[in-house]
Amino acid sequence: SETYYLKEDRHLAWLGTNYEVSNKFGGRLLEFRGHWLSPRSKTTAWRYVDKRSRDPAEALFTMRHAGLAVLTYAYRVYSPNGKLQFSIRKSWWGGRCRYLFFNCKPEWHIYRGWIGGEVAYYGIGEDEAEADSPQFFFYPSKEESRDEWIAFMDHRRRLEDNEDVYEVTIREGEDAALIMTAATIIDRWADVMRSRRR
C-alpha cells in the first residue's frame, strides 16, 4: 500500500478551492486547481512531471458538478479531450442504517462513465456523523464492502484557516488519482455540511 497526504487550500475560496497531493516524503504528485467563479465547481487535476518543479505540467482530467450544487452531490470526471470517464455520486440515504432509513453512514459510488453504470469503487463512512472528521473506506463495490478495503481516507487535522489535511492509504494496483479525486469531493461535501450547522 502507498500513503498520500491531501491538503486543502482555501485561499480565496470564493473563487475556487484547491488541493495538493504529496507522498510521505513531501514530494508533490497532484494538484487539483479550482477554476475561478465556476458555477459548477469546475476543477482540473494536474500531475507534477518534474518533482523539482513548483508547477504541475500535465492535465489528467477535469471534474465538475453534474447538476445544481444545492440539489445533488454528483460530479462528472472528463479526460482532457472532453470525454466522460467517471461519475461520482453520494447516495441519498446512505448505507448500513441503524433504523431503517435513519442514522445511516454516508456512502459514495464511483461509476465508469454515466451514473448507474459499472461501479469502479464504493466508499462508505466510518460513522454516521462524518462531516466533522471524515473517515471513509473504499471497496471495489458495495457487495464487497464487508471484505478488506482497498483505500482508506482519514482526516488528520483542521488548520486554523479551516483547511483540512487527510492521510489516504491506497492498495497497490488501484487508481490512486481517481480515489484522491473522490477524496477532494468528500471534503467539499463535509465543508458544506459543517457550514449548514453554523
Side-chain angles (χ1 to χ4, degrees), residues 59-127:
L60 294 180
F61 46 75
T62 297
M63 62 179 179
R64 64 172 184 254
H65 270 295
L68 294 176
V70 296
L71 298 178
T72 181
Y73 294 104
Y75 284 77
R76 292 182 184 142
V77 180
Y78 296 88
S79 65
N81 63 9
K83 182 179 179 181
L84 178 66
Q85 291 186 308
F86 300 97
S87 297
I88 303 175
R89 183 182 71 174
K90 181 183 179 296
S91 66
W92 282 98
W93 294 108
R96 299 183 188 172
C97 305
R98 292 188 181 181
Y99 310 104
L100 195 58
F101 296 115
F102 300 98
N103 291 343
C104 302
K105 297 181 179 181
E107 63 177 3
W108 294 76
H109 290 85
I110 304 175
Y111 300 97
R112 300 187 191 279
W114 296 99
I115 290 174
E118 178 189 356
V119 174
Y121 293 109
Y122 167 78
I124 187 163
E126 171 71 9
D127 198 2

Side-chain angles (χ1 to χ4, degrees), residues 31 44-49 56-62 78-81:
E31 180 181 344
T44 298
W46 295 83
R47 183 170 72 92
Y48 286 90
V49 177
E58 181 183 356
L60 294 180
F61 46 75
T62 297
Y78 296 88
S79 65
N81 63 9

